[in-house]
Amino acid sequence: MIIMKDIFDVCDFGDLKLNSRIVRTGLWESQKEMGGLSPEIFLRYERLAKNHVGLIVTELISMYPHDRFSDYSHSINNPKFIKEFKYLTDITHQQNVPILAQLGFVNCNVNGKQNVSVNDLEIEDIRQIQSDFIVAAKKISFAGFDGIQLAMGNNYFLSKVMDSKENKRKDDYGGSTLNRLRMILELIKVLKANTDLHISCRINVQEDILEIAQLLEKVGVDSLQITKPSSPQYFTKDSKNKNILFDITDKIASSVSIPVILGGGLTDMES
């Protein structure tokens, strides 16, 4: 007997229990709102949690000042970050809805340098980025989040680290898929060893996507979200009105044993 899955099924999501298969993926929703969480944001998340959403991923939380999105999104360095977001996570947890914090950056501003490219990163810069993520993850844990989603897709900096068209390094952090992923894999190992957070990775579809997914799973990643470098492409459908990421997402899901999320452009349950 074949048991059909329904989007309203209670299900396991790695170490989390979801009230449905519906995932509210990270959106650009606040445009900073003067640097804090407004009453509208608290109300929005309360409504989501009360209306059978299984999992919520926040909009981007920016890692660095002077990043492309730092003036328009939340900042991990805001002195009120833990206090304000603890109130937000309490709201979703009252409805038994887990919540992940999406964390990343576009412009690499480390060690007194601005807008460092992937190929110009020195080893001390790589270690600084990894350290900054670990500190940020601790704050995310203190704020009551169930997990962290690393923004490694679209045009975020870590997507360039992974991309063979962008990463032309000749050292241990460039070349093969494993080497291009090394900085991220090292980070995830430390996060898994030092936090209880669910680790999710938002990644672009690229030529070696199946190998990337398997390497991430091997190092302990708990879930994946599949996206594309360009948002207009991401929301495009094919001639049969089907999301163009469906087929590759099925292949990725078949190649790993962890949950895989596909979002964007889904307008009905049959999609």
Side-chain angles (χ1 to χ4, degrees):
M1 181 178 65
I2 299 176
I3 300 176
M4 299 297 291
K5 295 178 180 179
D6 187 270
I7 63 171
F8 296 110
D9 287 340
V10 173
C11 62
D12 293 324
F13 187 81
D15 50 349
L16 303 176
K17 178 74 72 174
L18 308 190
N19 296 325
S20 75
R21 298 180 186 276
I22 301 171
V23 179
R24 201 306 291 267
T25 58
L27 302 169
W28 186 30
E29 57 188 354
S30 73
Q31 298 186 41
K32 191 75 173 187
E33 294 187 309
M34 301 306 291
L37 296 182
S38 67
E40 288 76 13
I41 289 182
F42 291 123
L43 180 60
R44 183 183 304 133
Y45 278 71
E46 183 178 29
R47 287 173 174 169
L48 284 168
K50 285 183 174 180
N51 282 279
H52 221 68
V53 168
L55 174 69
I56 296 175
V57 183
T58 69
E59 67 173 313
L60 178 73
I61 296 169
S62 182
M63 282 273 290
Y64 295 120
H66 311 301
D67 187 21
R68 184 176 303 174
F69 293 121
S70 62
D71 289 339
Y72 309 101
S73 60
H74 308 299
S75 171
I76 196 69
N77 298 306
N78 188 326
K80 297 180 180 180
F81 176 84
I82 294 175
K83 179 180 179 180
E84 289 194 337
F85 277 90
K86 182 63 170 67
Y87 185 57
L88 187 71
T89 59
D90 285 347
I91 287 174
T92 69
H93 289 156
Q94 286 171 6
Q95 306 301 322
N96 295 317
V97 175
I99 180 169
L100 309 183
Q102 184 185 128
L103 182 69
F105 61 99
V106 176
N107 303 107
C108 183
N109 306 321
V110 294
N111 292 326
K113 295 175 282 189
Q114 298 295 307
N115 207 18
V116 185
S117 73
V118 172
N119 300 312
D120 290 335
L121 284 174
E122 298 179 11
I123 297 301
E124 66 177 7
D125 299 326
I126 291 174
R127 297 292 176 259
Q128 186 63 55
I129 293 169
Q130 293 170 327
S131 176
D132 291 340
F133 266 107
I134 293 164
V135 172
K138 286 293 187 180
K139 291 181 180 179
I140 285 168
S141 181
F142 291 149
F145 283 98
D146 301 281
I148 181 173
Q149 184 177 81
L150 300 176
M152 298 160 45
N154 303 116
N155 198 39
Y156 291 107
F157 187 81
L158 293 184
S159 73
K160 299 175 183 178
V161 171
M162 298 164 56
D163 190 346
S164 61
K165 297 181 180 64
E166 296 277 353
N167 186 337
K168 302 297 184 182
R169 299 177 67 95
K170 303 299 183 183
D171 61 1
D172 289 344
Y173 293 92
S176 67
T177 302
L178 174 60
N179 279 359
R180 284 183 277 111
L181 223 62
R182 188 179 302 278
M183 181 173 107
I184 297 164
L185 299 178
E186 291 173 345
L187 166 64
I188 291 169
K189 285 182 181 179
V190 177
L191 291 176
K192 295 298 293 185
N194 291 278
T195 75
D196 295 324
L197 294 170
H198 178 108
I199 307 297
S200 180
C201 294
R202 182 180 176 125
I203 55 176
N204 290 332
V205 171
Q206 56 191 66
E207 186 176 351
D208 50 356
I209 184 64
L210 296 183
E211 184 179 0
I212 288 172
Q214 291 165 355
L215 285 169
L216 290 171
E217 178 186 28
K218 186 176 181 179
V219 82
V221 167
D222 298 292
S223 65
L224 302 171
Q225 181 180 339
I226 309 306
T227 186
K228 263 189 160 295
S230 173
S231 293
Q233 287 179 298
Y234 180 45
F235 285 96
T236 300
K237 295 186 178 182
D238 65 13
S239 58
K240 296 180 181 179
N241 202 38
K242 185 175 73 171
N243 187 303
I244 61 174
L245 293 182
F246 267 18
D247 291 340
I248 186 60
T249 302
D250 281 342
K251 290 180 181 178
I252 296 167
S254 297
S255 73
V256 296
S257 59
I258 56 177
V260 179
I261 303 168
L262 171 62
L266 305 178
T267 57
D268 58 68
M269 290 190 292
E270 300 301 322
S271 295

